[in-house]
Amino acid sequence: MSSAVSPVEQPQQLRREFTLWSSFAFAFAFISPIVALYGIFGLALSAAGPSFWWGFALVFAGQFLVALVFATLVSRWPLEGSIYQWSRRLLGTTYGWFAGWVYMWTLVIAMATVALGAAGFLANIAGLEEPSGGTLALIALGILLAGTAVNLIGRRALKIFMIGSIVAEVIGSVVLGTWLLLFHRQNSLSVLFDGGGVDVDLWSWMSGPFLLAVAFIGWSFVGFESAGSIAEEVHEPRRELPKAVLFSLVFIFLVVAYSSLAIILAIPDLGAVADGEVADPVSETLTSALGQGIAKPVEVLFVIGFLASFLALQTSGSRVIWAYARDGALPGAGTLVQLRGQARIPVVAILVTTVVGSALFLLSIVAGDVYSLMVNFTAGGFYLAFLFPLLGFLVVVLRRRWTPASFSLGALTVPVAVAAAVWTVLQFLNIAWPRVAFEQRYLDWSVWIGIAFLAVLGGLILVSVRSRISAPTDE
């Protein structure tokens, strides 16, 4: 049959090579506990002191409600593209298109952000002191190209790297945390109950510093939904994916909360950290406790965690692009949807993420502090993307039009749907609220700037492809 046949007329078939274990490893690596902890620890500690630790429990509780809804949705519709596919089947094509559009860009921007984060570690391991933005961008580009190569090889290489990542995470998080607790404890558990100190009442602390810390922590507990992004590559997805979504979130919470507790109790001088005198409390604590000779190899474990997170983000982003293309929902869909090689990999979609990531690195060199802009947007972007299927599910459930699949919440469906939607709205507003946090005021508006840009660009693209988009089915 001619390759000119549209993707809508001739759907491309992915190969199912992922199991429950590998889909769990994928979701786990997506928001690596090492990445989650290192990315937010210093920010949250500076914002609210050691008592920020309780924010992990709060964010986990809210995100577990979201995960229950997503497990319900992926059981009903185990389709590549997850949030995009669920949303369009809940409230229609236009609604779903914008849901996936936000999710797709959030994934690709987060991918570039994680590569830049890994570049900092690699520069430090290589002995580069205070590398320039251009140097970090070049290192990140090397990471991007290497990750792309792994993704193009096939799913087996991806699975091997993900399993290696989990081993690194266990050593780098759980074993190291246990060692710190047993032999390098500097502070008592009472520091977790200090709040804002004697000069700040509990309400002022919770409504100010603690909420800011919760906004930072929100970035630590996304990624569990990514198991659904590869749904059509998983064996028995209706049965296995709800488990992968829920188990990955629970495991990430346990590892991050445990490791964070260990580091808090091992910090030599909490006062210096609170005063901003210690720029990197995680690295400083590890070096103080373990010595420079051991701290360097630990940073190698950190790099592995960052690289695994990068790979999972790139894979998820490319699969959302591919899912759009299969529906004829993007320009060039006929090319983007093609699967290449024996492994049936969406090569062009993967290369698109590589091109966009490279453009973001170039922009970071030319335009200055784009990294902060990207970090700020991705946290809000994930929660905004989550809102689309959550609100769609709530509408359908309240209209009594929901038909459950193998995984069902039963009588708890309505209360869980309401609570998950309310939580996500509040957390999105908490993250997106333009607090004065940067010298450049526009960075405080990062989320809203990103939303406005994507809304305009997305609207223009949707108008150009709307007539070619295939109607969703219930399969």
Side-chain angles (χ1 to χ4, degrees), residues 2 36 43 57 76-78 104 112 125 131 136 148 175 241 255 261 271 328 346 359-360 368 370 396 456 465:
S2 171
L43 295 171
R76 171 81 179 275
W77 296 305
M104 177 176 64
I125 292 171
L136 290 176
T148 299
V175 174
L241 286 178
V255 172
L261 176 64
L360 290 172
V370 176
V396 171
V456 173
V465 300

Side-chain angles (χ1 to χ4, degrees), residues 311-376:
L311 282 172
L313 283 160
Q314 185 182 46
T315 302
S316 296
S318 67
R319 272 29 173 203
V320 176
I321 293 171
W322 182 86
Y324 264 82
R326 180 175 57 179
D327 295 334
L330 284 178
T335 300
L336 290 170
V337 79
Q338 295 299 314
L339 300 174
R340 308 287 174 86
Q342 186 178 2
R344 308 291 289 163
I345 297 295
V347 171
V348 180
I350 292 172
L351 293 177
V352 167
T353 67
T354 305
V355 171
V356 175
S358 301
L360 290 172
F361 297 150
L362 177 62
L363 186 62
S364 70
I365 297 175
V366 174
D369 194 9
V370 176
Y371 179 76
S372 294
L373 189 67
M374 292 193 299
V375 169
N376 294 345

Side-chain angles (χ1 to χ4, degrees), residues 137-149:
L138 286 175
I139 296 173
L141 179 60
I143 293 170
L144 174 62
L145 296 177
T148 299

Side-chain angles (χ1 to χ4, degrees), residues 24-39:
F24 161 79
F26 183 86
F28 180 87
F30 183 104
I31 188 63
S32 146
I34 282 178
V35 176
L37 178 60
Y38 191 88

